[in-house]
Amino acid sequence: MKFSVSCSLQYDVVADTTLILNVEAQRNAGQNVLAERFSISSGVPTDAHVVPETGNRYRRMVLPAGQHQISYTADIETMPFVGEPGQIAQVPVAELPFDVFGHLSPSRYCQSDKLGRFAWRTFGDIANGHEKVTAICNWIFENVDYLEGSSDVSTSAYDTFTLRAGVCRDFAHLGITFARALGIPARFVSAYALDLIPQDFHAVFEAYLGDRWYLFDATRLCPIDGIMRIGIGRDAADSAFASYFGQLSGPPKLITVMRIDDQPPSAWTVQAVSISAN
């Protein structure tokens, strides 16, 4: 599957401001960047860095006072692994790879220790791993309203569970929280997404089942095989698309995502899809 993505950001800077972006698509065994271009209208130099453990690609720059237009475009090919959901089991904690252990613990936005009793009472009797995480997504979709403006950067999974409203970031955090409470490693994924209306950066999550990470999206706003990974982390604190230190403002970002191969459009279905390195 091949996609074209673009991201346009405009900033009005008051005083020298350090900006760190994470908007460039990941490169891994399931996702290939065919071509890409990153540019800044003011010509400010940037430092690029790839984190070996996550594959997250960061771009750091110091913006002087004034207006700056930043753009990123890429053609991306995904080679998703598609499994049979009913055959993908949860891995006992005693058999998990050590490098996924960090995604079992509570984190800033995913307080799995606070929602453990509810998770076990609601999902504990579902034996199969992929079906269990799908049941988590179904519960979130059916019980939490997708409502723009209902949350902010301080909203945690516990808040979302209490308020029963949120956006994609909050849906992902709640899915991660329930999975971890059930002994399933789960992590946050920022992404470009096909057919998202209105188009924006999207947030989903991955759960470690069988021998790899599988994608889940409780919002059901886009096809699961139309996801292109940008960043991963324990929660949104680890994979913000922009972090700045200084003073800046600007209009909303502009994102576009298009399919550029000759395959028919995807539809939202319950699939076992993995686009990570393993």
Side-chain angles (χ1 to χ4, degrees):
M1 303 173 69
K2 294 181 180 179
F3 306 89
S4 175
V5 305
S6 68
C7 165
S8 179
L9 308 168
Q10 182 178 311
Y11 293 113
D12 296 310
V13 178
V14 177
D16 284 3
T17 295
T18 298
L19 175 67
I20 302 172
L21 295 178
N22 180 206
V23 300
E24 296 168 75
Q26 285 197 358
R27 295 185 175 99
N28 58 52
Q31 179 171 291
N32 185 28
V33 179
L34 304 174
E36 65 181 346
R37 182 173 183 268
F38 184 96
S39 64
I40 305 178
S41 61
S42 56
V44 170
T46 67
D47 295 323
H49 177 67
V50 179
V51 179
E53 294 81 8
T54 63
N56 292 0
R57 302 171 64 194
Y58 293 100
R59 182 83 60 161
R60 180 176 61 186
M61 63 209 75
V62 179
L63 302 178
Q67 190 174 89
H68 304 267
Q69 185 76 35
I70 300 172
S71 66
Y72 172 71
T73 60
D75 291 342
I76 302 167
E77 181 180 25
T78 61
M79 296 77 71
F81 172 88
V82 180
E84 173 54 49
Q87 298 178 5
I88 301 170
Q90 179 175 345
V91 182
V93 174
E95 300 174 15
L96 284 169
F98 281 106
D99 59 0
V100 306
F101 276 179
H103 298 290
L104 277 174
S105 303
S107 59
R108 176 179 176 183
Y109 293 111
C110 302
Q111 311 103 313
S112 50
D113 51 335
K114 291 186 176 182
L115 293 175
R117 284 190 300 132
F118 177 85
W120 277 102
R121 185 170 64 249
T122 308
F123 312 110
D125 290 338
I126 303 172
N128 184 278
H130 197 279
E131 292 179 355
K132 181 176 292 187
V133 184
T134 297
I136 288 172
C137 292
N138 290 343
W139 185 94
I140 296 171
F141 181 78
E142 294 165 1
N143 291 277
V144 180
D145 294 330
Y146 192 95
L147 187 61
E148 294 286 350
S150 61
S151 63
D152 56 31
V153 295
S154 67
T155 302
S156 70
Y158 190 80
D159 298 328
T160 302
F161 178 76
T162 302
L163 298 172
R164 300 296 170 93
V167 293
C168 61
R169 175 183 188 270
D170 308 304
F171 278 49
H173 282 156
L174 191 53
I176 291 167
T177 299
F178 286 152
R180 290 179 184 171
L182 296 166
I184 300 173
R187 65 189 185 187
F188 187 89
V189 180
S190 62
Y192 292 105
L194 185 68
D195 297 339
L196 198 62
I197 301 175
Q199 190 56 253
D200 201 343
F201 291 118
H202 195 38
V204 295
F205 72 99
E206 288 178 314
Y208 190 87
L209 302 164
D211 61 350
R212 65 185 65 234
W213 293 96
Y214 287 93
L215 282 166
F216 293 89
D217 183 3
T219 71
R220 299 184 184 174
L221 291 176
C222 67
I224 200 69
D225 57 0
I227 298 291
M228 287 139 280
R229 296 198 324 175
I230 300 172
I232 60 173
R234 293 168 299 170
D235 54 34
D238 292 341
S239 51
F241 84 89
S243 302
Y244 67 92
F245 304 84
Q247 300 180 59
L248 56 74
S249 61
K253 54 196 174 296
L254 177 63
I255 311 294
T256 63
V257 178
M258 297 182 297
R259 190 90 178 260
I260 57 173
D261 54 24
D262 57 0
Q263 299 299 312
S266 298
W268 193 96
T269 56
V270 177
Q271 297 183 76
V273 173
S274 172
I275 56 171
S276 60
N278 51 42

